[in-house]
Amino acid sequence: MSPIELLGVPAWTVSSHTLARKLLVDSRLVKNIDAWSLWQNGTVTREWPLIGMIDAGRSMFTADGPEHRRLRLKTNQALNKRRLDDIRPSIERYTAELLDALEEAGLGGEVVDLKAAFAYPLPMQVVSQMMGVDRADQPMLLSSYKAFFSVLTPHEDRLRILAELDEYYLDLVRKKTAEPTDDLTTGLILADDGGEPLTEEEVVGNLKALVAAGHETTVSLILCAVRALLSNPEQLADVLSGKVSWDAVIEETLRWDGPVNHLLMRFPTEDIELEDFTIPKGDGVVISYRAIGRDREIHGADADVFDATRETALRNISFGYGPHICPGAALARLEASIALPELFSRFPDLQLAIPVEEIHNLPVMTQNDLAGFPVRLCEGE
Ligand code: STR
């Protein structure tokens, strides 16, 4: 537990795996921003650049307890193993299409951006299909979220983008209410299990959370796995020869270089006494997943090394833990487990076009977003 400052706002960060697991099942920590003292007393306002990460509207992302279960039920059902089998052929098709286009662009040994041409569009295509978002709207969504996450975006632009997204999603929900189709948005609208139906605001909130979380994070999972393998050729060889599984690569990437650096925020509804410290009621608590993945108590003295054969990799909590554990975890793993082997089976000689240290992160505080990923598809002359 350490004090941090988020663009001028004080909070606590949790960087221990064991403590995070304890706190993430503690019902005294809630996600509703109204439990935050600095929000209650007006110190933090909508003018704070990170406000959109916390005050994201009523949804499964911001509710707790029985309300949270009610808000999450449909999403859990739509993302269960059996339903994911139905979506697998689409992921395979999108992957193949993008790889065809990539091959054409990089045919003559030209440098191509693996992010722009492959990792970035793929998860948005998948989540759009799942939610019933039009293909034509995908570029707008991608550029809106890109600007939303960047700390370089002027805050008034960020607030405008969030308002425009709200309008877009409200429109989509009204369209699906008038003409139900076979997608999760329609599923969220229809109460077919006798329970209390979600309100329009709640459907919009869930839809926002699902599209944002469903595309942004998976881009990073795919790229960071590729980066880890290209900078560890002996491990790549073991994967390509079948000695090490793709699943092992994916889990170790989640642990070592996962998509989420920090998750904002939770608030104690009463003082929480820990062994050597008390988290005061109403303070902000950040879970720092990047540091948690490198916790030496769990992963050993070489926790900073990428090792796809590491047994403790399976213990990563990069998708969170407890009631809010990522409902899309299995979908993200499925996407990566299709995208990565397909990429390397098409381009076994894939190589970075710049030194690995020159791959940079975007100026984003909470997410592990890479700016670009220049590669060559085949061995140069
Ligand atoms: C982005 C803005 C928005 O409209 C809705 C949400 C709610 C879900 C959030 C999302 C946010 C930001 C990225 C998150 C996602 C849930 C999982 C994802 C935090 C605030 C992660 O990066 C873990």
Side-chain angles (χ1 to χ4, degrees):
M1 207 84 207
S2 317
I4 49 167
E5 217 181 87
L6 301 163
L7 302 176
V9 171
W12 300 101
T13 172
V14 180
S15 54
S16 139
H17 175 107
T18 308
L19 179 57
R21 284 192 28 146
K22 190 168 153 184
L23 292 176
L24 287 170
V25 294
D26 190 324
S27 60
R28 296 171 299 174
L29 269 170
V30 300
K31 303 202 54 176
N32 186 339
I33 191 171
D34 293 331
W36 192 13
S37 330
L38 295 179
W39 178 253
Q40 288 162 6
N41 69 21
T43 307
V44 171
T45 65
R46 297 276 303 162
E47 299 310 306
W48 183 51
L50 288 167
I51 193 67
M53 293 299 298
I54 306 172
D55 189 17
R58 191 175 150 76
S59 77
M60 61 186 145
F61 184 67
T62 52
D64 287 282
E67 281 299 278
H68 175 241
R69 274 190 288 284
R70 169 179 159 269
L71 281 160
R72 226 180 113 125
L73 184 68
K74 278 275 168 48
T75 303
N76 283 345
Q77 290 166 351
L79 288 163
N80 72 19
K81 269 236 162 278
R82 190 171 46 82
R83 300 287 290 274
L84 291 185
D85 285 344
D86 299 339
I87 198 164
R88 172 187 279 276
S90 306
I91 305 175
E92 289 169 347
R93 195 181 73 239
Y94 294 138
T95 302
E97 287 169 2
L98 290 168
L99 290 177
D100 288 345
L102 185 70
E103 184 163 6
E104 208 156 300
L107 214 56
E110 288 90 348
V111 174
V112 285
D113 183 356
L114 190 67
K115 177 175 181 186
F118 182 60
Y120 191 53
L122 179 65
M124 179 53 89
Q125 291 177 344
V126 175
V127 78
S128 292
Q129 164 169 340
M130 191 146 210
M131 303 313 296
V133 165
D134 270 0
R135 209 179 179 114
D137 298 332
Q138 292 178 19
M140 178 278 293
L141 290 171
L142 285 170
S143 64
S144 297
Y145 285 111
K146 190 173 173 193
F148 166 77
F149 283 109
S150 172
V151 292
L152 298 185
T153 304
H155 190 50
E156 72 237 43
D157 292 357
R158 185 181 295 106
L159 292 177
R160 180 180 44 75
I161 287 165
L162 285 173
E164 284 167 6
L165 284 171
D166 272 344
E167 233 172 90
Y168 170 79
Y169 289 123
L170 185 60
D171 258 17
L172 182 62
V173 169
R174 296 204 166 142
K175 218 172 81 198
K176 298 285 172 187
T177 309
E179 278 173 60
T181 41
D182 183 23
D183 52 46
L184 176 51
T185 303
T186 303
L188 293 172
I189 296 166
L190 299 176
D192 47 16
D193 45 14
E196 183 73 8
L198 302 188
T199 66
E200 196 171 68
E201 184 201 356
E202 290 169 338
V203 175
V204 169
N206 275 351
L207 181 55
K208 276 171 21 177
L210 288 163
V211 174
H215 95 274
E216 193 275 338
T217 45
T218 311
V219 178
S220 160
L221 175 58
I222 294 169
L223 289 178
C224 291
V226 175
R227 171 164 67 178
L229 291 175
L230 294 184
S231 34
N232 292 279
E234 45 336 310
Q235 295 192 49
L236 175 59
D238 284 347
V239 175
L240 295 183
S241 73
K243 217 166 119 193
V244 171
S245 71
W246 284 104
D247 287 349
V249 170
I250 292 166
E251 294 314 309
E252 178 67 350
T253 303
L254 285 164
R255 176 194 79 80
W256 184 71
D257 196 15
V260 182
N261 292 338
H262 311 281
L263 197 118
L264 274 44
M265 213 160 11
R266 287 173 167 81
F267 315 100
T269 54
E270 55 187 81
D271 287 359
I272 297 181
E273 279 181 41
L274 307 174
E275 253 163 58
D276 49 1
F277 183 77
T278 300
I279 320 174
K281 171 183 173 179
D283 277 12
V285 178
V286 172
I287 310 293
S288 294
Y289 286 104
R290 188 171 190 80
I292 289 169
R294 306 286 185 103
D295 189 335
R296 286 163 191 237
E297 269 183 37
I298 305 297
H299 303 291
D302 69 343
D304 285 331
V305 175
F306 179 86
D307 174 4
T309 66
R310 180 190 299 280
E311 276 172 18
T312 63
L314 283 173
R315 295 182 60 190
N316 82 77
I317 56 163
S318 300
F319 286 112
Y321 186 72
H324 283 279
I325 190 169
C326 176
L331 175 60
R333 288 179 165 120
L334 178 63
E335 289 181 48
S337 78
I338 293 169
L340 293 168
E342 279 305 307
L343 173 69
F344 280 97
S345 90
R346 279 258 200 140
F347 311 115
D349 297 322
L350 186 78
Q351 42 188 270
L352 278 171
I354 55 174
V356 67
E357 318 75 62
E358 284 174 27
I359 295 186
H360 292 299
N361 277 70
L362 286 169
V364 173
M365 284 183 74
T366 56
Q367 318 294 112
N368 182 16
D369 287 344
L370 303 187
F373 204 100
V375 291
R376 287 200 177 80
L377 303 178
C378 42
E379 216 89 50
E381 299 294 291

